[in-house]
Amino acid sequence: MKLASAYAPHLRENDDVRKVMIDVLIALSPAVVGAAYFFGWYALFLCVSGALLGELFDIFVMRYLRGIKEFVPDGSGAVTGLLLAMNVSTRLPFWAFLVGLVFALGLGKHAFGGLGQNVFNPALVGRAFLLISFPTYMTTWVVPGAGFWKSPADVMTAATPLALFKEHGVITSYWDLFIGNVGGSLGETSALLLLVGFLYLLLRKRVKIFIPISYIGTVFLFSSIAYLVNPRFGDPLFHILSGGLMLGALFMATDMVTSPITAKGQLIFGVGCGVLTMAIRLFGAYPEGVSFSILFMNALVPLIDRYTRPRIFGEVKE
């Protein structure tokens, strides 16, 4: 019997990027179906075209411009395109969405060196760009349930639950918040469908629970204290179910590339996201703070990883 030696890693799995991205797309599909049900054909069109065009642009345009001759799809562009679509209003014109998609993949991903090298979540980079460039389109929300085939331009507009509460003190029905029968970005409204998708990722062992638990837990604790101090800040359940918190905590903050590696680091990351989200919601001019809090914490990931990585046995601390 011969003893064969080889370089690490010695334990291997039959996994690759494409399989992981396919699982993420499957996990997001319940929320896509919900978006189509509540906001109509244009919501479905944005999601499907975002995934398809995101992958095509990622493979054939950005890789060609960077001189990469390998044009094998890995699904990462499709995930970015779909997540960007889920973070916009159905009042956003398709041409503006395409501009945001190009910006997300070009500057948010490939400017840093491509998949695995980007510092910030590309879909959130695209959303931030669209929010700054086209604020009217991005903050005009339609009333859900107007009919599948009805044009978004013909649908009545309404404020999001967070805006209604911040401006008028109106609390939206918790049931409507849970199932998604409220105004908002087309993929963020249904907490129920997002939880179903996230459960699939957990069963497939694609994500860990540390970031969502620490993120949502911090929002719960922060909002509970604020509510006890002054009820006008809103109760914890309202803050958890409203806005983009569920989408952000379950699918955006958990991005493998832009989140910490260690469990301790992921807990710190989630707490930071939760504190910043509530600080913006309660004391900022903008009613929502999920996107900006995640982007800010993305920038701190290298620092978090540096101070939370486990020490190698025998390593001398400098």
Side-chain angles (χ1 to χ4, degrees):
M1 182 177 179
K2 294 183 179 180
L3 178 64
S5 61
Y7 293 107
H10 302 294
L11 299 178
R12 301 176 183 271
E13 292 185 3
N14 188 27
D15 251 340
D16 55 32
V17 174
R18 184 178 62 85
K19 292 180 181 178
V20 173
M21 295 303 166
I22 289 175
D23 277 339
V24 175
L25 292 173
I26 293 173
L28 290 171
S29 60
V32 172
V33 174
Y37 176 79
F38 288 114
F39 300 110
W41 69 269
Y42 187 61
L44 181 61
F45 172 73
L46 281 179
C47 290
V48 174
S49 61
L52 292 176
L53 294 176
E55 188 66 19
L56 291 174
F57 182 79
D58 186 54
I59 297 171
F60 295 110
V61 178
M62 293 310 305
R63 295 187 188 182
Y64 175 79
L65 292 176
R66 293 178 55 208
I68 301 176
K69 297 181 180 180
E70 182 182 355
F71 302 110
V72 179
D74 58 21
S76 61
V79 170
T80 297
L82 178 55
L83 283 173
L84 178 61
M86 297 176 74
N87 274 278
V88 303
S89 167
T90 51
R91 278 298 181 93
L92 183 72
F94 185 59
W95 63 266
F97 173 73
L98 289 180
V99 173
L101 181 59
V102 171
F103 190 89
L105 290 170
L107 190 64
K109 178 179 177 182
H110 286 278
F112 292 95
L115 181 65
Q117 306 297 321
N118 51 291
V119 177
F120 303 99
N121 186 300
L124 289 182
V125 171
R127 185 186 190 279
F129 168 77
L130 289 173
L131 186 61
I132 295 170
S133 303
F134 310 105
T136 301
Y137 289 135
M138 287 291 290
T139 55
T140 303
W141 317 102
V142 301
V143 176
F148 183 79
W149 295 110
K150 201 163 186 179
S151 171
D154 299 327
V155 179
M156 292 180 60
T157 60
T160 62
L162 281 174
L164 278 173
F165 177 75
K166 193 159 191 173
E167 296 171 8
H168 306 290
V170 177
I171 292 287
T172 305
S173 162
Y174 294 129
W175 176 249
D176 286 340
L177 288 171
F178 184 63
I179 65 173
N181 189 30
V182 293
S185 296
L186 59 90
E188 72 179 17
T189 58
S190 178
L192 171 62
L193 298 178
L194 290 169
L195 285 169
V196 169
F198 182 72
L199 180 60
Y200 171 79
L201 288 182
L202 282 179
L203 293 176
R204 293 285 293 166
K205 298 181 180 180
R206 299 305 190 191
V207 294
K208 294 181 179 179
I209 200 69
F210 302 115
I211 291 177
I213 288 295
S214 58
Y215 194 165
I216 297 173
T218 301
V219 169
F220 177 83
L221 180 61
F222 200 122
S223 57
S224 297
I225 296 173
Y227 184 71
L228 291 175
V229 172
N230 193 333
R232 74 176 182 85
F233 287 127
D235 63 87
L237 185 58
F238 172 76
H239 281 287
I240 290 174
L241 295 178
S242 60
L245 180 66
M246 298 302 288
L247 178 62
L250 302 180
F251 290 97
M252 311 295 286
T254 53
D255 176 41
M256 298 177 186
V257 177
T258 58
S259 60
I261 299 173
T262 65
K264 183 179 179 180
Q266 291 173 6
L267 290 172
I268 295 172
F269 182 87
V271 170
C273 288
V275 170
L276 289 171
T277 296
M278 291 308 302
I280 295 172
R281 283 187 177 185
L282 299 184
F283 308 114
Y286 190 59
E288 179 59 292
V290 171
S291 297
F292 296 111
S293 67
I294 296 175
L295 287 172
F296 182 86
M297 292 305 297
N298 284 161
L300 298 182
V301 167
L303 188 64
I304 295 173
D305 279 338
R306 178 179 179 181
Y307 287 102
T308 59
R309 67 180 178 88
R311 290 180 59 187
I312 300 173
F313 181 74
E315 178 185 16
V316 178
K317 189 175 181 180
E318 296 181 357

